[in-house]
Amino acid sequence: MFLDVLRRRNPAFIEAAMALHQQGLIPANAYVLDLDAVEANARVIKVEADKHGLKTFAMTKQVGRASSFCAAVQRGGIDRAVAVDMACARATHKAGLKVGHLGHLQQVARHEAKAAADRFRPDYWTVFNDTKAEEAAAGAKAAGYVQNLLARIRAEGDTFYRGHEGGFDASDVAAVADRLDAVEGGRFAGITTFPALLFDHASRKVLPTPNLATLTKAAEALAKAGRRDIEVNAPGTTSSVLLSALAEAGATQCEPGNGLHGTTALHVMEDLPERPAVLYLTEVSHLSGGKAYCFGGGFYIDPIFPDYDVKAIVGREPTVSTGALRSVEVPPPSAIDYYAMIDAAGPAAPQPGDTAVFGFRGQAFVTRAFVVGVSGISKGAPKVETTENSFGETAAWPV
């Protein structure tokens, strides 16, 4: 889905990745990052967020919490991360980003809360219920500080991905705030939800979800109850062009993830300020039955898009030529993606060892892929900085 945008807006990235792979410097089955572009994208988002008074926390899961990605984001001016789970918190903390937000989307397990408070001291910690608030606050108390708590809220008609449900009743938000304030070691700091923005296929635009209105109404109720300086955390499909709308709706925090590497759904429809900065690269293994089988392990076709003809650039020499494009059959999510099958019909059929480059909105942290950070592409001097697993750890590669 993103390959056309990559070819048009960052062709040097594709060519550099193919060349490095052919030199034996990038493994098959790897998400590859253009760190120069990541840094520039982070700067664009941070400048726009500052203009609207939004605190900015970087989401890193989509690119496997890569340490070189975290460093590029910091160079771009964003010094804090949102940890979607404890693995994100460990990796981003190790990479030098402050943990700005913990507990959203995944809550912190009971016996990890004390250690999380002691090690990370997150600026904000989201809780879905009173029990989780008590665990977070107890950890903070033991560590000698008071934890800012964000209440995850929900209302009838709100939109949640299946398996993401949970939170306090939004109609009871004033009482929730009072209860969280009463927990020793914690204080009520604000409210959150997910997703606040979502791509709409019919209009081909990013639109607010009912959740964003729920946040706005809850913030108004808190203000009427005498609450001031309420944090409103409103993540989802975040790019620089949408930050003004978030601020107008009352948001005080944003959490760019795909926006940092130019792969929100809106980046397919429009040329936004952020350039594409991630691709998936693998290698042809063998031919069978008119198909060229390429190594898998990192395929993730985002279900936000309807089915489409997946294509890859396939070849031995660096290229972005239309002639190098071939259709690919990717195994369904119900199967293990040991291989994907590239159409090998016609002249110049793919051969074992050829590079295959894909462009899609990935989720490296739920795959078996490597994550490779490459610097210097903008200067014509590409260099591999890191080759890691999806936990931001140096990978055992080639063995």
Side-chain angles (χ1 to χ4, degrees):
M1 182 66 76
F2 288 88
L3 191 56
D4 287 344
V5 182
L6 265 168
R7 291 171 60 223
R8 185 167 50 79
R9 297 197 66 196
N10 202 351
F13 176 31
I14 295 174
E15 292 171 346
M18 295 183 75
L20 289 168
H21 171 248
Q22 287 298 322
Q23 293 165 26
L25 298 175
I26 292 180
N29 179 35
Y31 284 91
V32 186
L33 299 166
D34 178 348
L35 299 175
D36 297 358
V38 169
E39 178 181 342
N41 291 344
R43 188 169 293 112
V44 165
I45 291 171
K46 182 63 163 61
V47 167
E48 187 68 13
D50 286 351
K51 186 188 304 183
H52 297 287
L54 295 168
K55 296 179 178 70
T56 308
F57 306 136
M59 177 68 79
T60 67
K61 67 184 177 80
Q62 292 97 341
V63 292
R65 308 118 171 176
S67 64
S68 56
F69 176 82
C70 294
V73 165
Q74 289 180 80
R75 291 194 298 271
I78 299 173
D79 63 358
R80 281 161 162 71
V82 49
V84 74
D85 55 18
M86 282 290 285
C88 277
R90 297 182 191 104
T92 54
H93 174 80
K94 181 180 177 182
L97 283 172
K98 174 78 168 67
V99 178
H101 185 191
L102 181 67
H104 200 204
L105 294 163
Q106 193 175 80
Q107 294 280 272
V108 177
R110 177 162 59 107
H111 292 298
E112 296 176 21
K114 183 177 179 181
D118 183 62
R119 175 66 61 88
F120 306 132
R121 294 189 175 226
D123 293 336
Y124 300 94
W125 190 321
T126 284
V127 294
F128 285 21
N129 55 43
D130 292 306
T131 300
K132 287 300 176 188
E134 290 164 2
E135 292 169 2
K141 181 184 176 185
Y145 74 100
V146 175
Q147 179 63 58
N148 289 320
L149 300 172
L150 297 180
R152 213 302 185 95
I153 60 171
R154 56 179 172 74
E156 189 69 31
D158 280 358
T159 297
F160 295 103
Y161 293 108
R162 185 63 176 155
H164 291 198
E165 300 87 352
F168 297 94
D169 188 336
S171 65
D172 196 35
V173 69
V176 170
D178 290 341
R179 292 204 306 274
L180 297 193
D181 269 346
V183 178
E184 192 172 1
R187 64 173 293 271
F188 174 78
I191 50 179
T192 187
T193 186
F194 177 79
L197 299 174
L198 203 57
F199 181 74
D200 177 69
H201 291 285
S203 65
R204 298 166 70 89
K205 298 288 185 183
V206 174
L207 301 176
T209 66
N211 308 37
L212 186 57
T214 295
L215 286 180
T216 301
K217 291 175 184 175
E220 291 170 354
L222 289 165
K224 287 179 182 177
R227 296 272 175 178
R228 297 290 180 267
D229 300 321
I230 298 302
E231 293 289 336
V232 179
N233 176 272
T237 318
T238 306
S239 65
S240 59
V241 299
L242 298 170
L243 297 184
S244 61
L246 282 180
E248 287 171 12
T252 65
Q253 300 178 4
C254 65
E255 297 181 344
N258 289 100
L260 291 169
H261 32 89
T263 58
T264 74
L266 194 59
H267 283 86
V268 175
M269 307 301 168
E270 303 176 21
D271 282 354
L272 304 184
E274 303 89 8
R275 287 197 307 143
V278 62
L279 57 80
Y280 178 68
L281 179 148
T282 191
E283 175 183 314
V284 175
S285 165
H286 60 279
L287 275 66
S288 179
K291 300 289 185 182
Y293 285 67
C294 63
F295 294 105
F299 284 105
Y300 180 93
I301 306 300
D302 198 311
I304 70 165
F305 296 113
D307 290 341
Y308 62 94
D309 181 17
V310 176
K311 291 185 180 293
I313 293 174
V314 185
R316 194 65 59 99
E317 299 297 326
T319 182
V320 292
S321 168
T322 302
L325 289 172
R326 289 186 174 267
S327 294
V328 184
E329 179 186 346
V330 177
S334 58
I336 299 173
D337 63 331
Y338 291 112
Y339 299 99
M341 290 73 75
I342 303 170
D343 179 15
Q351 297 299 315
D354 282 359
T355 305
V357 170
F358 297 77
F360 48 74
R361 171 185 160 116
Q363 295 283 357
F365 82 121
V366 296
T367 73
R368 310 184 309 282
F370 296 99
V371 182
V372 178
V374 179
S375 66
I377 293 172
S378 64
K379 301 176 178 64
K383 176 187 175 184
V384 172
E385 296 289 344
T386 55
T387 301
E388 297 177 335
N389 61 26
S390 62
F391 294 96
E393 302 164 336
T394 299
W397 180 80
V399 293

